[in-house]
């Protein structure tokens, strides 16, 4: 200003503020239709932004990572790590109360998780890897003493009316949880949901 030069539109400390960097990057992204490179920033009169990104915001790598996290996106390679797939599935199981189907993941807008499951084999393979083994005759026989009294309480005509849906749709974890609820407070909700599920 003392030299009679245009000081520009940014005040001291402007680029240290992450919000100002994000606003400028997103405005440029909208203007050019893609995520801007350093060259794009310089060509559009934003050389101060380039300097700020390198000096205070972790360079282009740090910028991309922080912006992805703000947008809720997963970093590159996230879905290739089994631990991430397992963690995301555990959260979905907690929400649904059971192991999901691909349709559940689509409804929850988790198509990336669905694709990652396919990368690790298929839904059935991932279920087994996580210990969600399908209920079979051996599992039913092991819990027969606890299951047989449940059948008349559900108003069923025979044990097969419960056994067949269990073998088609439940895992050992589902069965253990349902029996634990019965033992704790007599709740049959899990069995009723099983019988209502088409």
């Amino acid at each position: 200003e003392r030299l009679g030069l245009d000081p520009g539109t940014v005040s001291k400390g402007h680029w240290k503020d992450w919000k100002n960097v994000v606003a400028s990057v997103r405005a440029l992204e909208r203007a050019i239709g893609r995520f801007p490179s350093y060259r794009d920033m310089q060509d559009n009169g934003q050389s101060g932004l380039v300097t700020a990104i390198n000096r205070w915001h972790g360079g282009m790598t740090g910028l991309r990572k922080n912006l992805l996290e703000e947008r809720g996106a997963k970093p590159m390679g996230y879905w290739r790590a089994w631990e991430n797939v397992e963690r995301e599935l555990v959260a979905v199981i907690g929400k649904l109360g059971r192991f999901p189907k691909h349709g559940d993941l689509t409804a929850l807008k988790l198509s990336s998780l669905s694709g990652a499951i396919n990368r690790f084999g298929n839904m059935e393979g991932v279920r087994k890897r996580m210990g969600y083994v399908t209920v079979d005759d051996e599992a039913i026989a092991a819990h027969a003493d606890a299951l047989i009294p449940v059948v008349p309480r559900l108003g069923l005509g025979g044990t097969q009316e419960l056994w067949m849906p269990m073998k088609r749709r439940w895992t050992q974890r589902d069965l253990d949880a349902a029996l634990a609820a019965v033992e704790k407070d007599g709740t049959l909700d899990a069995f009723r949901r099983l019988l209502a599920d088409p």
Side-chain angles (χ1 to χ4, degrees):
E1 284 173 337
R2 285 184 179 186
L3 292 169
L5 301 173
D6 180 3
T9 57
V10 296
S11 58
K12 187 175 181 183
H14 177 84
W15 293 124
K16 285 185 180 180
D17 188 334
W18 172 247
K19 287 180 282 195
N20 294 329
V21 172
V22 172
S24 294
V25 169
R26 289 193 174 146
L28 187 54
E29 187 176 19
R30 285 190 299 274
I32 65 174
R34 61 182 158 69
F35 192 83
S37 65
Y38 282 148
R39 179 65 180 242
D40 294 322
M41 293 175 197
Q42 288 169 335
D43 289 349
N44 285 276
Q46 298 278 357
S47 55
L49 177 58
V50 172
T51 303
I53 290 168
N54 285 324
R55 188 174 293 168
W56 295 300
H57 303 291
M60 189 61 85
T61 304
L63 174 72
R64 283 181 176 275
K65 180 177 179 285
N66 291 331
L67 284 173
L68 283 172
E69 285 173 4
E70 278 189 7
R71 292 174 179 172
K74 306 297 183 196
M76 194 88 112
Y78 180 86
W79 294 115
R80 289 192 177 99
W82 167 251
E83 307 80 51
N84 297 330
V85 174
E86 185 176 32
R87 185 181 322 106
E88 297 286 340
L89 270 170
V90 166
V92 171
I93 291 163
K95 191 179 290 188
L96 295 175
R98 60 177 169 74
F99 199 89
K101 302 170 190 159
H102 280 293
D104 296 318
L105 299 179
T106 302
L108 292 167
K109 295 184 176 21
L110 294 171
S111 57
S112 296
L113 177 55
S114 190
I117 287 168
N118 290 334
R119 188 175 287 121
F120 286 96
N122 56 31
M123 190 66 87
E124 192 56 34
V126 168
R127 283 170 69 110
K128 286 180 183 171
R129 185 170 180 172
M130 290 181 69
Y132 286 87
V133 181
T134 306
V135 170
D136 57 12
D137 289 329
E138 189 177 319
I140 290 170
H143 297 287
D145 290 345
L147 285 169
I148 290 171
V150 169
V151 173
R153 288 183 58 201
L154 290 168
L156 301 175
T159 56
Q160 288 303 313
E161 290 181 43
L162 181 59
W163 289 187
M164 296 312 287
M166 282 173 61
K167 289 196 288 187
R168 277 197 308 271
R169 293 190 287 274
W170 268 13
T171 65
Q172 184 64 50
R173 289 182 183 215
D174 297 324
L175 178 57
D176 292 343
L179 289 173
V182 170
E183 187 176 320
K184 182 180 175 191
D185 55 16
T187 305
L188 297 175
D189 293 346
F191 292 102
R192 289 192 181 99
R193 278 194 302 273
L194 168 70
L195 296 170
D197 193 11

